[in-house]
Amino acid sequence: MSFRRSHLLGLSGLTAGEIGDLLDRAEGYWDAAAHAGWRTATPVSGLSVVNLILEPSTRTRCSFEIAEQRLGLEHLSVGSDGLSLIKGETLSDTGRTLRSMGVNVFVVRHPEVGAPARMAEELPEAHVINAGDGTGEHPTQGLLDLLVLRRQWGSIEGRRIVVIGDVLHSRVARSTVHGFSALGGSTTLCGPAHLMPEAGGWPGTTIEDDLDRALAGADAVMALRIQRERFGAGELLPDRAGYRARYGLTSDRVARLAPETAIIHPGPFNRDVEIDGDVVDSGRTEVWRQVRAGVAVRMATLAAIGEVHADSAPAARAGAGE
Ligand code: NCD
């Protein structure tokens, strides 16, 4: 089944067919993703995109902007400092304001879980892409992880990934694990007990406390940053040296991995905490291919939503309508 949704809010709830369709489309943009100045010969028409980036972002924001340019889309990016949100305007009023200018796609990064979904409810005739909502989901990041791994293996079916560290606060982990499980893979979660999700909460996962045991026979490993900014009051931050010794992808640990085990990290890295700087610089990881895949999956998502938009009723396409 191909992806025919109006919004991309998360990977949970998507079928293997829908995820596979987005990955197949992204495959078609793989070369374009690393080609400076590339422009599609068949621009996606009818979409006007605003990237509402209300939390810090390097990879996600820049890759959405590049994807939009390469697809020939009208687009602009704004952060919270440049918006009336700081004067007390609600996100929904910001959305309605932009809708009145004909904007019909919102790429939303927001510190609160569910903010993009609320926007999708409040602006039903627009399209919303979740670019990371608090500790919720980050579906295009999940897709890019799946794309890099599927390119390497041909299929995710039967593969096992180890996700290490601050899983509790990670929207990336939530999206990647959901996608991995939908495509027939399994996940081992490993990290400090208080940073693990509740037992049974995530599909296709088991928890293993000992990293070296978790890594034995793994097909891929993903290291996560300790997301300090998402810790609530009273939540215990691990100390850096102790964390690196127990859960870090150190040069020594990586040397003991099977050579075919893929190493991924969503970025930004805290070098010498969850992953050694030497490992990042060694060329042994997929981290730069992940960034390239990020442009490809964002192009794919926008192109798929462009098709849904073109097929939607004329009334829904008529801009703000008021
Ligand atoms: C992640 C995010 O913002 O959730 N980064 C990203 O989008 N590549 C992960 C993180 O912040 O650690």
Side-chain angles (χ1 to χ4, degrees):
M1 190 176 70
S2 52
F3 180 86
R4 300 292 302 159
R5 295 184 191 231
S6 210
H7 314 286
L8 178 62
L9 298 173
L11 293 192
S12 65
L14 293 198
T15 64
E18 288 174 302
I19 294 173
D21 177 44
L22 289 172
L23 297 181
D24 292 345
R25 287 171 184 268
E27 206 58 72
Y29 290 118
W30 184 255
D31 291 335
H35 188 152
W38 187 90
R39 290 287 180 278
T40 178
T42 49
V44 175
S45 58
L47 298 187
S48 172
V49 188
V50 168
N51 305 307
L52 286 172
I53 306 297
L54 308 177
E55 247 194 1
S57 172
T58 302
R59 292 151 192 78
T60 306
R61 173 186 174 142
C62 296
S63 59
F64 265 110
E65 288 183 13
I66 286 175
E68 289 148 10
Q69 284 177 23
R70 293 188 183 163
L71 292 174
L73 290 169
E74 177 176 87
H75 70 106
L76 62 92
S77 294
V78 271
S80 39
D81 50 342
L83 289 174
S84 293
L85 286 165
I86 52 172
K87 298 182 188 166
E89 182 167 84
T90 64
L91 185 61
S92 139
D93 284 341
T94 303
R96 285 196 189 103
T97 303
L98 292 163
R99 281 289 296 139
S100 302
M101 300 177 200
V103 170
N104 50 20
V105 182
F106 296 95
V107 172
V108 184
R109 166 161 292 200
H110 198 284
E112 269 169 45
V113 176
R118 272 199 307 282
M119 209 164 168
E121 261 168 42
E122 285 161 3
L123 302 171
E125 66 299 350
H127 307 279
V128 178
I129 301 174
N130 180 359
D133 62 326
T135 58
E137 278 228 37
H138 192 352
T140 53
Q141 177 72 36
L143 288 170
L144 76 86
D145 291 341
L146 296 171
L147 181 63
V148 165
L149 297 175
R150 198 185 75 159
R151 282 179 72 81
Q152 206 166 100
W153 303 330
S155 161
I156 303 291
E157 179 90 50
R159 299 287 181 162
R160 183 172 69 90
I161 189 169
V162 179
V163 177
I164 313 170
D166 183 7
V167 176
L168 187 67
H169 298 105
S170 177
R171 54 199 178 200
V172 174
R174 195 168 278 102
S175 291
T176 302
V177 167
H178 269 102
F180 213 76
S181 155
L183 298 184
S186 62
T187 304
T188 307
L189 304 174
C190 180
H194 69 291
L195 299 180
M196 293 292 104
E198 276 172 38
W202 291 21
T205 57
T206 50
I207 294 180
E208 166 58 66
D209 180 50
D210 181 83
L211 179 55
D212 296 301
R213 259 204 310 267
L215 290 176
D219 296 298
V221 50
M222 170 158 71
L224 297 169
R225 186 174 65 87
I226 300 289
Q227 297 137 87
R228 296 169 174 266
E229 72 284 5
R230 294 183 203 144
F231 275 63
E235 276 188 275
L236 201 65
L237 269 167
D239 85 281
R240 291 164 77 100
Y243 183 87
R244 174 175 178 268
R246 192 146 178 211
Y247 299 111
L249 277 184
T250 59
S251 302
D252 284 353
R253 276 206 177 94
V254 168
R256 292 198 299 272
L257 285 179
E260 61 278 10
T261 305
I263 301 173
I264 62 175
H265 188 307
F269 325 111
N270 284 155
R271 286 171 175 251
D272 304 326
V273 184
E274 78 274 5
I275 189 165
D276 278 8
D278 287 351
V279 172
V280 174
D281 296 334
S282 67
R284 170 69 180 79
T285 77
E286 304 302 315
V287 296
W288 311 120
R289 248 183 302 279
Q290 286 176 273
V291 176
R292 175 176 180 168
V295 177
V297 301
R298 285 158 187 140
M299 292 177 85
T301 304
L302 287 160
I305 284 183
E307 285 176 17
V308 171
H309 184 77
D311 293 347
S312 62
R317 295 208 307 270
E322 294 91 271

